[in-house]
Amino acid sequence: QVTAKTAFLFILPQYNVSVPTADGELVQYHYGLKDLVTILFYIFIAIILHAVVQEYALDKINRRLHLSKVKHSKFNESGQLVAFHLTSVIWCLYVVVTEGYISNPRSLWENYPHVYLPFQVKFFYLCQLAYWLHALPELYFQKVRKEEIPRQLRCIALYLVHIAGAYLLNLTRLGLILLLLQYLAEFFFHMARLVYFTDENNEKLFNVWAVVFVVTRLFTLTLYILVIGFGLPRVENQALDPERGNFFSFLFNNILFRMSVLLLVCLFQASVMWRFIHFQLRRWREYWNEQSSRKRAAAGAKQQTKPLKRDSGYHENGVVKAENGTSPRTKKLKSP
């Protein structure tokens, strides 16, 4: 029994509480320091799954493609993220549908703070934190190039800050919807990269990703405005109460603070869209330059293979002679 209790500490979420409902009692969870032990266990699980995907899927494909070192590293990165994002999108979609967060948008801010979480919501957040924390030692295990490390560290830090922030500030419902939108766009991007590495002439999935990216950005901005601008200011309990998990809803009652937050969100989304537009313009420019160079090369090859017209006969002292020695000119017949 002692070992079983210790094992449950690593495997299952802790801090379960029985919450009375109209139908009886419902077991829900809140967070605490013991969550770090559970996250540590799932970090090791994520490292094992990472190695399985790498060895049994990505390495076998890499042997067939014979990619360069740079493309090999990017292919491995995108392959791992495709598996993770696809799993997360399906799991997150299942959670938000079964919990009714999509069918009832008001639930994103009603009864804030959302201190008590269903089992699947808490377990999802713990696994997400474990995955992005496992990505730090994977930078060493995968022997990532030094030039790529700052970019990947930036990406990992952003995900950890956003996921941990939503988890600790009791904004888990909003965080689930935002993660679903973000992971959906990222899945199409890394899938497009995998297809491009296998066939460099196939860039159709990049166009699909571009549409999905713009749509998800618009939904993300709309959600921020809906929750921060209209939802949280209407919460009944506007007092600062850290013990109950109410950290900053009282701040959103101040219109100046609310407008400042919305302005920062809009500026951040605008910067993301600017980088996206810059990336698309550079890609289209490279595409058209490649197409024009191919056309010039094809035109030059056609001119070289075009047969040259040669005069029948040969030259003698600058005069063209026929093969039988006669002049090619037709002689005029004299009238008798």
Side-chain angles (χ1 to χ4, degrees), residues 231-255:
L232 288 177
R234 298 180 180 180
V235 174
E236 294 181 1
N237 184 14
Q238 295 288 345
L240 176 64
D241 191 359
E243 293 183 358
R244 293 187 56 192
N246 192 346
F247 293 101
F248 51 80
S249 64
F250 73 100
L251 293 173
F252 290 102
N253 200 24
N254 187 339
I255 188 171

Side-chain angles (χ1 to χ4, degrees), residues 55-114:
E55 183 172 354
Y56 291 99
L58 298 178
D59 286 345
K60 291 183 178 180
I61 299 174
N62 273 320
R63 293 191 196 100
R64 296 181 180 180
L65 296 178
H66 303 289
L67 299 174
S68 63
K69 288 185 178 181
V70 176
K71 290 184 178 180
H72 179 86
S73 176
K74 291 182 178 180
F75 185 88
N76 288 337
E77 177 191 356
S78 293
Q80 293 287 347
L81 289 175
V82 160
F84 168 71
H85 288 317
L86 179 61
T87 305
S88 297
V89 165
I90 296 173
W91 189 3
C92 189
L93 184 62
Y94 174 79
V95 171
V96 298
V97 169
T98 54
E99 295 296 332
Y101 300 152
I102 292 181
S103 59
N104 182 20
R106 289 179 176 271
S107 62
L108 297 180
W109 62 82
E110 280 184 344
N111 301 321
Y112 177 83
H114 307 132

Side-chain angles (χ1 to χ4, degrees), residues 27-297:
V27 178
Q28 292 191 330
Y29 297 81
H30 60 94
Y31 62 79
L33 290 176
K34 291 181 181 179
D35 290 342
L36 297 176
V37 179
T38 310
I39 291 172
L40 179 63
F41 174 76
Y42 285 101
I43 286 175
F44 292 116
I45 298 296
I47 292 174
I48 294 171
L49 293 177
H50 190 114
V52 170
V53 172
Q54 183 67 43
E55 183 172 354
Y56 291 99
L58 298 178
D59 286 345
K60 291 183 178 180
I61 299 174
N62 273 320
R63 293 191 196 100
R64 296 181 180 180
L65 296 178
H66 303 289
L67 299 174
S68 63
K69 288 185 178 181
V70 176
K71 290 184 178 180
H72 179 86
S73 176
K74 291 182 178 180
F75 185 88
N76 288 337
E77 177 191 356
S78 293
Q80 293 287 347
L81 289 175
V82 160
F84 168 71
H85 288 317
L86 179 61
T87 305
S88 297
V89 165
I90 296 173
W91 189 3
C92 189
L93 184 62
Y94 174 79
V95 171
V96 298
V97 169
T98 54
E99 295 296 332
Y101 300 152
I102 292 181
S103 59
N104 182 20
R106 289 179 176 271
S107 62
L108 297 180
W109 62 82
E110 280 184 344
N111 301 321
Y112 177 83
H114 307 132
V115 179
Y116 298 112
L117 308 175
F119 171 82
Q120 59 181 354
V121 174
K122 175 164 183 175
F123 190 60
F124 177 81
Y125 270 93
L126 294 180
C127 291
Q128 291 294 314
L129 290 170
Y131 179 85
W132 289 110
L133 286 171
H134 111 281
L136 294 173
E138 285 294 343
L139 295 176
Y140 173 76
F141 295 146
Q142 293 292 318
K143 298 179 180 179
V144 178
R145 295 184 307 139
K146 292 182 179 180
E147 299 82 11
E148 292 290 324
I149 289 178
R151 178 185 64 82
Q152 295 200 24
L153 284 177
R154 222 169 20 246
C155 177
I156 294 169
L158 285 173
Y159 273 113
L160 285 174
V161 168
H162 282 80
I163 296 172
Y167 184 64
L168 296 175
L169 298 177
N170 302 311
L171 290 169
T172 50
R173 299 180 183 182
L174 176 63
L176 281 172
I177 305 295
L178 294 178
L179 276 178
L180 177 61
L181 295 172
Q182 177 66 21
Y183 285 166
L184 186 64
E186 288 292 310
F187 168 74
F188 279 102
F189 173 71
H190 290 288
M191 194 68 199
R193 282 217 306 184
L194 289 181
V195 174
Y196 175 77
F197 289 141
T198 55
D199 181 11
E200 293 188 356
N201 295 321
N202 192 347
E203 296 187 0
K204 293 180 180 179
L205 266 182
F206 278 111
N207 298 328
V208 177
W209 164 71
V211 175
V212 173
F213 181 86
V214 173
V215 172
T216 53
R217 290 302 101 191
L218 291 175
F219 271 105
T220 300
L221 186 59
T222 304
L223 271 176
Y224 273 118
I225 295 174
L226 184 66
V227 176
I228 296 176
F230 300 98
L232 288 177
R234 298 180 180 180
V235 174
E236 294 181 1
N237 184 14
Q238 295 288 345
L240 176 64
D241 191 359
E243 293 183 358
R244 293 187 56 192
N246 192 346
F247 293 101
F248 51 80
S249 64
F250 73 100
L251 293 173
F252 290 102
N253 200 24
N254 187 339
I255 188 171
L256 182 61
F257 178 81
R258 189 162 69 245
M259 295 304 295
S260 301
V261 172
L262 288 176
L263 179 62
L264 288 176
V265 169
C266 291
L267 288 176
F268 176 75
Q269 295 297 324
S271 67
V272 172
M273 286 299 299
W274 169 250
R275 288 198 298 270
F276 168 77
I277 293 171
H278 181 70
F279 170 78
Q280 289 295 327
L281 291 175
R282 185 181 62 186
R283 190 169 70 88
W284 288 338
R285 195 183 306 117
E286 291 175 354
Y287 173 77
W288 288 115
N289 289 338
E290 184 180 355
Q291 290 296 320
S292 60
S293 63
R294 285 182 180 179
K295 288 180 180 180
R296 287 196 299 267

